[in-house]
Amino acid sequence: QVQLVESGGGLVQAGGSLRLSCAASGSIFSIRPMAWYRQAPGNKREWVSCTSPSDGSTYYADSVKGRFTISSDNAKNTVFLQINSLTPEDTAVYYCAAANSDSYSLSQKWYDYWGQGTQVTVSS
């Protein structure tokens, strides 16, 4: 089993920044692709970003491209999401996810493990 714990959310003014963290523990030797999703009130959970385990490439939803950056510290088994230039539309619960796979996907069904989420609230 793999456990994922997100942190770093909070209340921030529009234009501000946050750095979200996702710490993995347990049988982490088998997980490779990591992803971030978010779910705003009344909306479905949507994909935000992910990494490719084959070459480390990173991918972003159009709505966050240029403002969000996914990165990882393999020594600490932690994945980060740096989020800049926040707008109220970024208000959501942010989730990290991991998969037992050699490939990545934008589909939620691809991912085997999920964190409990961290709330990001952006005030105007």
Side-chain angles (χ1 to χ4, degrees):
Q1 272 290 359
V2 174
Q3 294 79 41
L4 303 176
V5 178
E6 302 97 333
S7 62
L11 174 63
V12 63
Q13 289 188 333
S17 299
L18 287 172
R19 190 191 195 201
L20 308 183
S21 299
C22 174
S25 62
S27 302
I28 57 178
F29 60 88
S30 62
I31 65 170
R32 294 182 186 182
M34 299 288 290
W36 286 94
Y37 286 78
R38 67 184 181 183
Q39 186 169 17
N43 290 356
K44 295 181 179 179
R45 188 157 54 185
E46 64 174 355
W47 171 76
V48 173
S49 178
C50 69
T51 62
S52 168
S54 61
D55 60 4
S57 296
T58 57
Y59 302 90
Y60 301 93
D62 287 344
S63 59
V64 307
K65 198 172 295 183
R67 299 189 298 121
F68 289 18
T69 304
I70 188 171
S71 62
S72 62
D73 183 337
N74 293 331
K76 296 183 178 180
N77 299 317
T78 301
V79 175
F80 305 99
L81 187 69
Q82 178 69 40
I83 51 179
N84 300 328
S85 302
L86 283 160
T87 72
E89 289 68 37
D90 295 315
T91 294
V93 178
Y94 284 72
Y95 299 90
C96 70
N100 292 316
S101 176
D102 291 333
S103 184
Y104 72 95
S105 174
L106 278 57
S107 172
Q108 298 183 47
K109 296 179 180 179
W110 189 258
Y111 295 91
D112 303 290
Y113 309 103
W114 292 83
Q116 82 291 346
T118 186
Q119 176 71 49
V120 172
T121 302
V122 184
S123 63
S124 58

